[in-house]
């Protein structure tokens, strides 16, 4: 099992924790001039705990009408809790802008703006926000939790520290506190993050007189945004699957894998106890469904979590031993189980249907949520590589890369290219092994995929590769796009000074790789079963076959994404035969003709003009 975390909402960085690949590091220089560098923070849409469950609420405050009786006090320095409807006082000249809390009641909320209101990273700050006396007599005998929405990102030089505390008191003077946000950094913080703290035992017998306190200690940090404070009931016994993972042996979360590189699936789940009582012997059941809707693998995790108290979570990873073998989409379903029966089984189940076995495409991105521009990357110069890590199960040949770009008209005329970096097995550093010619962005490119022909670039099964887009410093607007939900640590890059940079975000750059299956072309001792002409082609491509008693013969026309555009079932073929594939409805670009029969499978590339 991975490290045990306490308190709701703390995220487990799964990608690199499991992977053995040489992931690039994230370099930080803790100096004031670097505080707002754009390799600072990105945000994740959505929460990792479902706050929308049917709960009885005993107290709530959304600050839309003011402090509501809460008292803000400054104990040291000049920074305290304040009301806001705009968030941090960002300096517009900074390349890193602190996001606004994406609260569900956005009229007004509470903010500690540490560096906006502070004076120096050497000047200590201390402040509290304390509720009025609350009468929670209606909650007597119930299991209850203190919940709230927050956004917090820390920038912590060695000379200073910051701490966020939440406390409960039954006399208004002595508070029992828990610390949250410790060591979370500024990478991929949820926005908003939903925090839940079981306070049942702390207020038992004193429900008529309760106080809540938020306490801040820091010095010229970023700050803390809080909203929608509630005291609500919770179940006695309640597990939840907070997040799931589906990786390969490299730890990379692919959305598309070429069939020649299929590998046993590794799946995982973060399971959290959001009920009052301790849960023991926690596992998950899983079912993998294939492209035809049938069950292809199932079981129960061999690893288990011994116990979890309220608000604790832990991670289980399971090597399923199942290797996808049919082209199409696969779905994985997890169900958390434990010794005790669960009061709310609905949140014990999670599903991931974003894995495809393809003919020739490798990708990490997938269509979930909006495609988002790369705004906080690269560094201030604007010049950098930006891409995805990939590994391969067997030697192969990459023939093309696709890169999605934004639709900003200001980028017309800007130049981009693609590149490939390699980290060989046992190597000491990354090496630039492919650098394409520049491509000038034209109007037809905006908001679309751009395809770069790699001709034939050999990859092997022992190296790790980074397939990148590259932009120069002159671009007036963000150029690259990301999408999906890949976990953490897979998005990587190098800046203008060729320093390694990790970009911690759940979305993947839309940068895809096209492969031939196995060796490309025809070896000297291998018979060539078909040819295509003309190449390039405009209206049609002719396929000339020469086969020896081939059964179940199929000719497929495939686009650069691996999608079958046209398929011709020829059945039994013995001798020479010619077929024609129409191209008039296809957009210009790179396509493939695949011949598959009992004589074997072969693939040839052509260009549609």
């Amino acid at each position: 099992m991975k490290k045990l975390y306490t308190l709701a909402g703390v995220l487990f960085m799964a990608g690199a924790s499991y992977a053995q690949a040489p992931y690039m590091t994230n370099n930080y220089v803790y100096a004031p001039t670097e505080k707002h560098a754009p390799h600072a923070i990105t945000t994740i849409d959505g929460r990792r705990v479902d706050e929308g469950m049917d709960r009885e609420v005993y107290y709530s405050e959304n600050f839309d009408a003011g402090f509501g009786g809460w008292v803000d006090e400054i104990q040291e320095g000049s920074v305290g809790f304040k009301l806001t409807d705009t968030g941090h006082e960002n300096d517009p000249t900074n390349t890193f802008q602190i996001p606004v809390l994406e609260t569900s009641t956005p009229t007004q909320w509470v903010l500690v703006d540490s560096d906006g209101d502070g004076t120096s990273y050497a000047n200590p700050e201390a402040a509290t926000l304390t509720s009025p006396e609350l009468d929670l007599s209606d909650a007597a005998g119930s299991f209850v939790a203190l919940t709230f929405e927050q956004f917090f990102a820390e920038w912590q030089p060695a000379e200073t520290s910051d701490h966020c505390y939440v406390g409960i008191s039954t006399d208004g003077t002595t508070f029992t506190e828990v610390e949250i946000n410790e060591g979370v950094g500024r990478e991929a913080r949820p926005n908003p993050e939903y925090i839940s703290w079981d306070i049942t035992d702390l207020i038992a017998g004193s429900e008529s007189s309760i106080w809540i306190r938020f306490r801040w200690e820091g010095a010229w940090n970023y700050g803390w945004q809080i909203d929608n404070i509630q005291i609500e009931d919770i179940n006695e016994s309640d597990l939840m699957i907070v997040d799931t993972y589906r990786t390969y042996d490299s730890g990379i979360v692919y959305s598309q894998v070429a069939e020649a590189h299929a590998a046993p699936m590794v799946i995982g789940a973060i399971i959290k106890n959001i009920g009052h009582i301790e849960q023991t012997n926690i596992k998950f059941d899983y079912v993998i469904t294939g492209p035809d809707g049938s069950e292809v693998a199932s079981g129960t995790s061999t690893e288990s979590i011994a116990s979890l108290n309220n608000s604790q979570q832990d991670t289980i990873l399971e090597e399923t031993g199942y290797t996808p073998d049919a082209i199409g989409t696969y779905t994985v379903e997890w169900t958390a189980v434990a010794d005790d029966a669960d009061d709310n089984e609905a949140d014990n189940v999670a599903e991931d249907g974003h894995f495809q076995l393809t003919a020739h495409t490798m990708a990490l991105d997938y269509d979930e949520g909006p495609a988002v521009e790369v705004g906080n990357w690269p560094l201030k110069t604007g010049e950098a590589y930006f891409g995805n890590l990939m590994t391969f199960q067997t030697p192969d040949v990459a023939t093309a890369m696709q890169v999605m770009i934004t639709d900003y008209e200001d980028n017309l005329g800007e130049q981009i290219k693609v590149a490939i970096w390699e980290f060989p097995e046992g190597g000491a550093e990354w090496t630039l092994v492919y650098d394409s010619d520049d491509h000038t962005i034209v109007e037809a490119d905006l908001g679309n995929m751009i395809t770069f022909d790699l001709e034939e670039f050999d990859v092997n099964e022992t190296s790790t590769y980074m397939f990148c887009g590259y932009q120069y410093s002159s671009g007036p607007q963000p150029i690259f796009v990301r999408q999906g939900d890949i976990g953490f640590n897979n998005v990587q890059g190098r800046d203008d000074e060729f320093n390694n940079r990790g970009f911690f975000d759940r979305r993947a750059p839309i940068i895809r790789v096209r492969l031939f299956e196995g060796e490309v072309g025809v070896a000297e001792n291998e018979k060539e079963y078909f040819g295509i002409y003309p190449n390039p082609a405009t209206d049609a491509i002719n396929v000339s076959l020469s086969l020896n008693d081939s059964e179940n013969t199929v000719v497929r026309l495939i686009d650069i994404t691996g999608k079958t555009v046209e398929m011709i079932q020829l059945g039994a073929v013995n001798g020479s035969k010619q077929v024609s594939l129409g191209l008039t409805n296809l957009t210009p670009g790179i396509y493939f003709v695949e011949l598959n029969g009992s004589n074997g499978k072969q693939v040839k590339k052509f260009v549609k003009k």
Side-chain angles (χ1 to χ4, degrees), residues 5 151 170 199 237 369 423 554 579 595:
Y5 289 92
F151 180 82
T170 57
I199 60 172
S237 178
F423 197 101
V554 177
V579 296
L595 172 67

Side-chain angles (χ1 to χ4, degrees), residues 90-143:
N90 282 308
D91 183 344
T93 64
N94 285 333
T95 54
F96 166 46
Q97 301 291 294
I98 304 167
V100 171
L101 173 67
E102 295 180 9
T103 167
S104 54
T105 57
T107 300
Q108 199 165 233
W109 62 97
V110 170
L111 165 68
V112 173
D113 195 354
S114 178
D115 61 355
D117 297 335
T119 56
S120 169
Y121 65 89
N123 293 335
E125 303 160 353
T128 55
L129 178 66
T130 307
S131 74
E133 182 179 2
L134 306 178
D135 185 351
L136 303 178
S137 298
D138 290 344
S142 300
F143 303 120

Side-chain angles (χ1 to χ4, degrees), residues 139-174:
S142 300
F143 303 120
V144 294
L146 169 64
T147 68
F148 56 95
E149 296 174 346
Q150 71 153 11
F151 180 82
F152 174 80
E154 65 181 352
W155 179 82
Q156 188 170 326
E159 299 89 344
T160 67
S161 61
D162 60 274
H163 301 280
C164 303
Y165 300 96
V166 185
I168 289 289
S169 176
T170 57
D171 61 12
T173 302
T174 304

